[in-house]
Amino acid sequence: MTWLHFLSVSITVWLTLLFVFTIVPAVLGVSIGIRRLYLTTLLKIFEWATLRMEMEAKEKNQQLYKPYSSGIIVKEPPLSLQQGIQELRGSASCLHSEPEFEMADIFYFCRRGVESIVDDEVTKRFSAQELETWNLLTRSHYNFRHISLRLTVLWGLGVLIRYGILLPLRVTLAATGISLILVLTTLVGFLPSRELRFFLTEKVHVMCYRICVRSLTAMITYHNRENKPKNGGICVANHTTPIDVIILANDGCYSLIGQAHRGLLGMVQRAMVKSSPHIWFDRSEVKDRHLVAKRLSDHVADKTKQPILIFPEGTCINNTSVMMFKKGSFEIGCTVYPVAIKYDPLFGDAFWNSSKFGMVNYLLRMMSSWAIVCSVWYLPPMNREEGEDAVQFANRVKAAIAAQGGLVDLIWDGGLKRAKVKDAFKEEQQKLYSKVLVGEQEQGDNKSSEENPEEDKSYHGSANGQ
């Protein structure tokens, strides 16, 4: 009985502290400064651990791995295909006066292929962002190995704190937030008054998302709140992790658009849609996409509805860059509110590599990290200009987000991480090479073509075949 009494008292004290110091401040939207003090202490520990590691490694003549910087590298603009071919042929021993295929041309494509593999701008955007210092979260990836007993004890103490104290606390908070979403949104959905339902929905969602933010020990800094998205508009943001939704909804209420799921996430989606107009769709149904576009247009046309949150990249990128925005969100013809999100990887890697980790595994990794620290910038609203198509508008919005968040602006489609290169890209290179071979001859050697049409026909056929 003594152990049972002790256990019951411990659980009571735990839940009381959790309610008083976490849930109540989250509901009221206030902070008592515990997270800020916690992060400040962590920074001092990281600095001491890194300095100590470097000193002891120097004494033992050990070489610490220093990962390359993930900053933007300014490169010279690549040569066009025609310039590259001409440069390569210029170094050849035998030159021809007339354009034709040469074996030396193969080396141009080989060189470009190797360069693409070495400096792959797509694949490296789907791996964890590298750190230059040790954050006590890993022991092997970047050669942060055992150096001294003191550092090993510090790392072991960190494991006990993260898995013994922080993880149970965060799981309890996450369960509380999800349970409240399920219960309260379902109850609000039964209210007959549309105005009251929308009012309570915003309060309930913001309250529940604040609890979920506490479950990640997230410290978020919001900039330029005067540019926050307004009703009847579309909010677009770069995408690093599924918790982007929680990060933004912690500061305001949004309608969401996304794929319909099953299981627990599906239960949450069905509960949320009862109280507010979210759009869930099945990506496997092609016809449903047209329905989604129509529902999206109808949503933004109603100025009483909350702004709809969209991630145009369609996939998670590792917090170093912004990849191609799908044009569908920019064809609606309404005001777009860009938002830039930038995470600090020092306290925990927020990037979700969906091909490597499932959702549950990923969330457990987030809850067992030190914290989630990020900055959110609300950019001025943007509208489609006269004569500007949807693709140009999407690229302009993407460039603004990349510039504000300090991210690399890339033209590549994020879907390439799971798909093969489209045949259109290969055909484009083939057409460019064909123009190099026959383009000048078509313009300058029309006379010779007329004299020998059969030779000209066979020449063009062989060139297109190449």
Side-chain angles (χ1 to χ4, degrees), residues 96-323:
H96 296 275
S97 58
E98 296 182 356
E100 61 180 12
F101 170 74
E102 294 185 9
M103 290 297 295
D105 297 349
I106 298 176
F107 293 103
Y108 169 79
F109 297 100
C110 293
R111 183 182 65 186
R112 289 297 302 274
V114 173
E115 289 175 351
S116 299
I117 295 174
V118 173
D119 188 23
D120 186 355
E121 290 187 334
V122 175
T123 304
K124 65 183 179 182
R125 307 301 172 179
F126 301 104
S127 58
Q129 186 177 1
E130 296 182 345
L131 296 177
E132 296 185 358
T133 58
W134 184 32
N135 59 2
L136 303 178
L137 286 177
T138 179
R139 295 293 293 169
S140 58
H141 282 295
Y142 300 127
N143 200 21
F144 294 129
R145 58 182 182 271
H146 169 77
I147 295 179
S148 70
L149 179 61
R150 185 178 301 180
L151 291 176
T152 301
V153 170
L154 179 62
W155 173 78
L157 181 61
V159 172
L160 292 176
I161 293 174
R162 290 188 292 111
Y163 288 93
I165 299 177
L166 295 180
L167 183 58
L169 171 65
R170 291 167 175 173
V171 170
T172 304
L173 287 173
T176 302
I178 294 174
S179 300
L180 288 176
I181 289 178
L182 288 172
V183 175
L184 296 181
T185 53
T186 301
L187 294 177
V188 171
F190 288 113
L191 296 176
S193 174
R194 184 171 181 267
E195 292 75 13
L196 180 60
R197 188 167 65 247
F198 277 13
F199 174 78
L200 291 179
T201 293
E202 182 173 354
K203 301 300 180 183
V204 167
H205 277 78
V206 172
M207 179 187 70
C208 295
Y209 284 130
R210 285 172 178 169
I211 296 176
C212 293
V213 162
R214 261 70 170 184
S215 71
L216 298 170
T217 315
M219 180 63 69
I220 313 167
T221 304
Y222 297 96
H223 305 272
N224 306 323
R225 278 186 163 137
E226 66 276 8
N227 297 324
K228 285 181 61 174
K230 296 179 174 57
N231 291 353
I234 295 178
C235 174
V236 298
N238 58 301
H239 200 23
T240 303
T241 164
I243 66 175
D244 289 335
V245 175
I246 301 175
I247 297 299
L248 293 177
N250 178 68
D251 194 41
C253 197
Y254 296 88
S255 293
L256 305 178
I257 180 172
Q259 184 179 6
H261 292 272
R262 298 179 180 179
L264 178 60
L265 188 55
M267 291 175 57
V268 175
Q269 288 180 326
R270 290 189 293 271
M272 292 172 62
V273 81
K274 292 179 181 179
S275 59
S276 58
H278 302 284
I279 302 175
W280 311 124
F281 63 93
D282 187 357
R283 292 179 180 174
S284 63
E285 298 179 7
V286 178
K287 294 182 180 179
D288 200 31
R289 296 183 180 179
H290 301 286
L291 178 61
V292 171
K294 184 179 183 306
R295 293 173 62 187
L296 185 60
S297 300
D298 295 340
H299 183 100
V300 298
D302 189 348
K303 301 303 179 183
T304 63
K305 292 184 178 180
Q306 302 151 348
I308 194 160
L309 177 59
I310 298 177
F311 300 102
E313 289 170 297
T315 188
C316 295
I317 314 298
N318 71 349
N319 197 41
T320 63
S321 59
V322 182
M323 304 190 79

